[in-house]
Amino acid sequence: KQEVTQIPAALSVPEGENLVLNCSFTDSAIYNLQWFRQDPGKGLTSLLLIQSSQREQTSGRLNASLDKSSGRSTLYIAASQPGDSATYLCAVRMYQFYFGTGTSLTVIP
Amino acid sequence: GAGVSQSPSNKVTEKGKDVELRCDPISGHTALYWYRQSLGQGLEFLIYFQGNSAPDKSGLPSDRFSAERTGGSVSTLTIQRTQQEDSAVYLCASSSQGAGTEAFFGQGTRLTVV
């Protein structure tokens, strides 16, 4: 059974710092990996999608990498801003999505 | 529509009543997923549709839960005889055909059973 783990569970950083969120998964037979953002009381907003054949994807200040063979992905956020404060979830897709429990990020002004 | 739409956004119901939650996927998306997020918990898979068929219903927690999808579009999740432990946010997602495609989530329905 696929298990997805995210470390750290919570992170608090001052504004402007670069940071890395980690995601690991146990079964490498995935189609893709998707990073989401969830604001309190809201749904999930898709940030980045990495296909299983890809190594990384970039969108603005966000960069996600994927090492499928080792079962790891990282989300790099450059020059963090208070508006980045949210819970970040990674999900690996087989035919359904398997989610990690998320990293709660607080960026302090 | 522009995104996945779920209704109602909030629902308060009395224990023992039946509720229906609706999901309108993005037009043309053939895959549709229901997930549940309980307070402080991760996302729990409920059911997956490909077109109108549900190849995997294994996540439905009990026989009080059922879901259907008609016309390859709108899906309804029905919970019969609601219990307090059913209180959660129910999230729907859709994606176009093919497991490698990006999934988009709705804003969810917050269900409170009192």
Side-chain angles (χ1 to χ4, degrees), chain B residues 41-92:
Chain B
Q41 302 295 313
L43 277 87
E44 175 189 5
F45 169 75
L46 297 178
I47 190 168
Y48 155 63
F49 286 93
Q50 182 60 44
N52 292 334
S53 301
D56 188 353
K57 303 179 182 180
S58 64
L60 294 176
S62 75
D63 59 7
R64 296 187 296 105
F65 287 72
S66 63
E68 65 174 11
R69 189 178 185 194
T70 56
S73 180
V74 172
S75 177
T76 303
L77 177 68
T78 301
I79 309 173
Q80 295 179 310
R81 306 181 302 282
T82 51
Q83 303 294 315
Q84 288 187 329
E85 61 263 28
D86 299 334
S87 297
V89 176
Y90 290 81
L91 291 162
C92 174

Side-chain angles (χ1 to χ4, degrees), chain A residues 17 19 31 37 39-40 48 53 75-76 101 107-108:
Chain A
E17 274 205 5
L19 56 100
Y31 289 111
R37 166 185 175 141
D39 293 282
L48 288 164
S53 59
L75 179 67
Y76 175 83
T101 50
V107 180
I108 303 165

